[in-house]
Amino acid sequence: MEILVAVIAFAGALLAAIAAGALIQRLRDEPEGWLIAWTVAVAALCLSLGVIGIGGLMGFGAVTFRLYQVTGSLLAPLWLAIGLVQLLAEKAPPRFLAWLFGIALTVVSVAILVFDPLKSEEMGKTLPAGSNFWGLIPGYLLIGVHAVAVLVMLAMLAVAGIKWRNGDEYDTDNLHAALVIVPSGIALVGAMRFTVPPLFTTALLAVAGAAVWYTVLRPLAPYEDDDEDDLAPDRDERVPRRDDRSQRRDERAQHREERPMPQMPPDERPMYRDERPQPGHRAMPEPVPAADIPAAPPRRSSGLGDLVAEYRAGDQEIDYAARMAPPPDAGPATGYIMNGGPPQRPDYGMPATGVVYPGAELFSPAQQQPGSSKPSPTIYGLLTVFTLMDGAGEAFDRLAEATVESVRRGEPDTLVYACHAVKSAPLQRIVYELYRDEVAYRDHQRQPHVERFVNERQSMVLATNVIELNVNAAKVVPLPTAMY
């Protein structure tokens, strides 16, 4: 049995030596705190396994026993735990305290374990248990170190899980690393603390070294740039660009510490388009310049893409109508009505519906001239794009049809109301509307069925974009209707 233990120990020592070399190589390019701590732990495991192999062949003595206990029972679990703190802590004070505590405990403990007398120095080739040879002070010291290491590892595992729930791939990698290191570290403590067959103790030491090596090579491998590679200056080959994990961690911590912008009082905050009115909010009687309009809160994209390139503006809703507003002293522009006075702006508090009113004429009889196709200059037009919530298409269409019927019966000055479905984007509706003049548009907004449409569509609409139109030429005839 001692020969088998020695063979496993030498194989584990070789594995740990390779892992230590890989960590040292990584340290040259990326001097991270967790890499330093785990390099100490893996080097301690390598030395401990080598001593076990020598003791299994030649027998244990006071020197080999102390070396095996200092490296395998003290340094390895302690610095595995400190490495987890260095990996998961985003602020400098916890990392600094971990360094200070680890170095101080290591110096004091090593001094005690090296100079404290043993109960007995008669040992054979069987792996000696620490409780049989340590005195009172070293025994309690190792119990304290093991308890601290296990508590810290369990706490860091919980921290990794909490961050992973609302984190990104960085937190996923850290949780993966913790799930590998923590069980192997706790198993190592159990093997050194309790009476375990020498074969299993040796195997667990080797497994702990392999766990660190796997963690550094897989979940904590250097990040690579997916967009482009850097050329090495002194050789004609490509090397991946590496992302400094410490820099990324500091940037994330700084981002989390950023204080939110102060909020305006409820009665002073302007209402965004398609936002349900709340008690105490003061609606704007007319649009303000685009530079004074605050950006609406970001909304989750529906994943459909916009029909028109103008609407592809990231995840935030853009008020295109406000951008198109002309200066106060400018002449009439697209969609603005000249009716014997200065240009007036429409109220955007109620965006257009989506209906059809067939049979109306575009041309004003008083202004139409024979052979002319020029529409009346008083015609007012809007194009509205609605992006609906998932599953709200049928409800929106039913609401639009009910509004259509009400507009058809009671709004003769509404020339065109056309609500279009988009084949390539099932959750989009494009509404084209024309009014005889601005007065007709104002009357339309005051209708009870329009107010009902605006209120009930709030829960169905994800985003609304409005473009004002100026009709230059047109031909409108009644639309064919379905026969039942």
Side-chain angles (χ1 to χ4, degrees):
M1 179 62 68
E2 288 77 9
I3 300 297
L4 180 59
V5 171
V7 171
I8 295 176
F10 283 129
L14 178 61
L15 178 65
I18 296 174
L23 266 67
I24 293 173
Q25 181 65 30
R26 176 84 175 269
L27 273 172
R28 295 176 57 187
D29 301 328
E30 193 176 350
E32 297 276 1
W34 55 273
L35 278 173
I36 298 173
W38 286 350
T39 300
V40 174
V42 173
L45 290 171
C46 176
L47 189 56
S48 181
L49 286 166
V51 170
I52 292 175
I54 295 174
L57 294 179
M58 304 176 59
F60 287 90
V63 175
T64 53
F65 171 76
R66 291 180 188 273
L67 193 56
Y68 153 67
Q69 286 286 304
V70 168
T71 55
S73 186
L74 172 68
L75 297 180
L78 176 61
W79 286 95
L80 283 177
I82 293 174
L84 284 172
V85 176
Q86 299 296 322
L87 175 68
L88 297 174
E90 294 186 350
K91 296 183 179 180
R95 299 197 299 269
F96 175 76
L97 290 177
W99 280 122
L100 186 63
F101 175 79
I103 294 173
L105 186 59
T106 297
V107 172
V108 173
S109 301
V110 169
I112 292 175
L113 295 180
V114 168
F115 295 105
D116 196 84
L118 301 176
K119 292 180 180 180
S120 174
E121 296 186 1
E122 296 180 1
M123 307 174 191
K125 294 183 179 181
T126 303
L127 189 64
S131 58
N132 296 332
F133 297 93
W134 287 122
L136 185 63
I137 295 177
Y140 281 110
L141 177 63
L142 288 177
I143 291 175
V145 170
H146 292 164
V148 169
V150 170
L151 291 176
V152 169
M153 285 189 280
L154 291 176
M156 290 300 102
L157 180 60
V159 170
I162 293 173
K163 290 184 176 181
W164 169 77
R165 292 185 60 184
N166 299 317
D168 53 12
E169 72 281 356
Y170 181 90
D171 298 295
T172 302
D173 293 340
N174 290 344
L175 178 62
H176 186 180
L179 289 174
V180 174
I181 295 297
V182 172
S184 59
I186 294 177
L188 174 62
V189 171
M192 304 301 295
R193 180 75 266 151
F194 305 104
T195 302
V196 178
L199 184 63
F200 289 102
T201 301
T202 306
L204 289 175
L205 287 168
V207 167
V212 176
W213 190 17
Y214 167 80
T215 301
V216 174
L217 289 180
R218 295 302 300 272
L220 300 184
Y223 286 93
E224 295 183 1
D225 192 345
D226 296 331
D227 298 330
E228 60 179 276
D229 294 329
D230 293 334
L231 285 174
D234 55 344
R235 52 183 177 177
D236 188 14
E237 65 180 44
R238 294 184 179 270
V239 295
R241 180 182 298 173
R242 297 183 175 180
D243 186 4
D244 190 347
R245 294 180 62 91
S246 62
Q247 179 181 358
R248 185 172 181 179
R249 176 191 59 208
D250 295 340
E251 291 175 354
R252 284 158 49 90
Q254 181 180 1
H255 174 71
R256 292 181 180 179
E257 291 175 357
E258 290 180 355
R259 299 179 60 184
M261 296 182 62
Q263 300 293 330
M264 299 178 64
D267 58 341
E268 295 294 335
R269 186 176 67 86
M271 295 172 60
Y272 299 107
R273 185 181 305 280
D274 252 18
E275 182 180 30
R276 186 183 300 275
Q278 300 292 336
H281 286 179
R282 184 178 62 191
M284 293 184 295
E286 61 181 45
V288 298
D292 298 335
I293 297 179
R299 299 182 178 181
R300 181 175 58 87
S301 176
S302 63
L304 295 173
D306 294 317
L307 181 67
V308 184
E310 294 181 48
Y311 301 123
R312 304 196 60 147
D315 293 333
Q316 293 187 353
E317 180 183 351
I318 307 299
D319 193 346
Y320 291 92
R323 286 188 177 183
M324 297 170 61
D329 56 348
T334 299
Y336 289 91
I337 310 303
M338 294 296 295
N339 193 11
Q344 300 179 8
R345 299 176 183 175
D347 184 5
Y348 295 109
M350 295 183 180
T353 61
V355 294
V356 176
Y357 180 73
E361 295 181 358
L362 281 175
F363 305 103
S364 173
Q367 298 180 1
Q368 183 176 359
Q369 298 179 1
S372 173
S373 62
K374 184 70 174 177
S376 169
T378 62
I379 292 176
Y380 184 82
L382 289 175
L383 180 68
T384 308
V385 178
F386 294 100
T387 301
L388 307 181
M389 299 286 188
D390 293 340
E394 294 183 2
F396 183 90
D397 293 338
R398 288 194 299 267
L399 181 61
E401 289 178 5
T403 309
V404 165
E405 186 62 23
S406 299
V407 172
R408 185 183 65 82
R409 291 195 306 262
E411 297 187 26
D413 289 333
T414 299
L415 305 181
V416 174
Y417 255 14
C419 180
H420 305 268
V422 182
K423 292 182 178 180
S424 61
L427 295 184
Q428 282 188 337
R429 299 295 184 270
I430 298 180
V431 176
Y432 176 66
E433 50 191 304
L434 291 179
Y435 306 92
R436 188 176 300 279
D437 50 28
E438 187 180 4
V439 175
Y441 173 70
R442 300 290 183 182
D443 291 340
H444 161 78
Q445 289 183 302
R446 289 191 290 267
Q447 299 300 319
H449 52 267
V450 176
E451 294 180 356
R452 172 177 171 268
F453 179 79
V454 172
N455 291 332
E456 294 188 7
R457 77 177 183 221
Q458 298 292 337
S459 60
M460 309 176 192
V461 176
L462 179 67
T464 304
N465 293 311
V466 179
I467 300 177
E468 296 179 81
L469 303 174
N470 184 33
V471 182
N472 294 329
K475 175 185 177 182
V476 177
V477 297
L479 298 177
T481 59
M483 302 299 294
Y484 296 98

